[in-house]
Amino acid sequence: MHEDTVYYLTVIPTKKGGYCSAWDYIDKSEYAENASTYIHAFKIIQNDLKNLFRFIEPNQVNYQCYSYEIYSLFIKTCIEIEQNFKTILKKNDYTDGKKKENYWNLKDYKILEGTHKLSHFNVTLPSYNLKFTPFSSWIEAETFWYKEYNELKHARINHFEKANLENLLNAVCGLLVILSAQFFDG
């Protein structure tokens, strides 16, 4: 995927250097097929997160707090992120020539950095004075929340503490980023 090409499921730059309104293309199926389903899934996750905040204050002192409720929401959120990644890659005819879509992984998903600039997005939770740049460290895979999700997914018993509030908040913000990179209306 090359940076100077307009891709499906990507905010479209204008010749004036800005971005067109999402409403100029979001209802055109060739650019944003089923956009509402992805946004609806995020809203459900957002409501679940708000409910979690009734029990765990979103504060840095609680970042390492982990539970089955966080685990469930973290897994659900990361699955939704993977669905978005796969849909974008598939819609743009991505292939590495060796793997089928079911075997795509972080190496494949990182290709979207060139087109979507995910590491440049910042998310603020203003009510809690928290800021996140969820894709800033995906080059340094050792500290990346997505890597911890994969470890947790494959061996929950050994990695249950990775189902923590910090990873969950980064994942939910990451989902917001990938949706914004596709459907942003600024």
Side-chain angles (χ1 to χ4, degrees), residues 10-157:
T10 307
V11 172
I12 302 171
T14 66
K15 292 180 181 177
K16 297 178 185 175
Y19 294 93
C20 72
S21 169
W23 302 115
D24 292 341
Y25 72 95
I26 202 166
D27 59 353
K28 295 178 183 167
S29 65
E30 70 269 19
Y31 285 105
E33 188 175 352
N34 298 319
S36 62
T37 63
Y38 296 102
I39 294 166
H40 181 68
F42 174 76
K43 288 179 179 179
I44 291 169
I45 289 168
Q46 185 180 36
N47 285 333
D48 290 346
L49 185 65
K50 286 179 188 177
N51 188 51
L52 181 70
F53 289 171
R54 293 175 50 225
F55 304 98
I56 302 171
E57 184 67 18
N59 187 295
Q60 289 181 353
V61 299
N62 293 329
Y63 275 1
Q64 297 314 305
C65 175
Y66 60 95
S67 71
Y68 281 102
E69 192 65 31
I70 294 172
Y71 166 78
S72 175
L73 190 52
F74 184 42
I75 296 293
K76 181 173 24 174
T77 302
C78 289
I79 288 170
E80 193 62 31
I81 289 168
E82 288 176 333
Q83 181 62 55
N84 277 269
F85 284 156
K86 287 178 180 182
T87 300
I88 295 167
L89 290 173
K90 197 161 103 174
K91 186 73 175 175
N92 288 289
D93 299 322
Y94 169 77
T95 180
D96 79 347
K98 299 174 187 170
K99 294 186 272 190
K100 293 184 179 181
E101 172 187 340
N102 290 344
Y103 298 101
W104 289 344
N105 58 33
L106 186 58
K107 179 184 170 229
D108 301 288
Y109 304 150
K110 283 182 183 179
I111 290 169
L112 296 177
E113 177 63 26
T115 55
H116 289 70
K117 310 294 186 211
L118 301 176
S119 67
H120 297 158
F121 283 79
N122 298 300
V123 179
T124 301
L125 303 178
S127 299
Y128 304 102
N129 199 27
L130 297 173
K131 296 181 183 186
F132 296 89
T133 310
F135 292 102
S136 65
S137 65
W138 67 340
I139 303 305
E140 306 154 20
E142 295 305 312
T143 60
F144 187 46
W145 52 267
Y146 184 85
K147 180 181 180 281
E148 296 198 350
Y149 149 71
N150 264 320
E151 291 171 356
L152 182 64
K153 176 176 69 171
H154 294 292
R156 177 183 51 82
I157 300 300

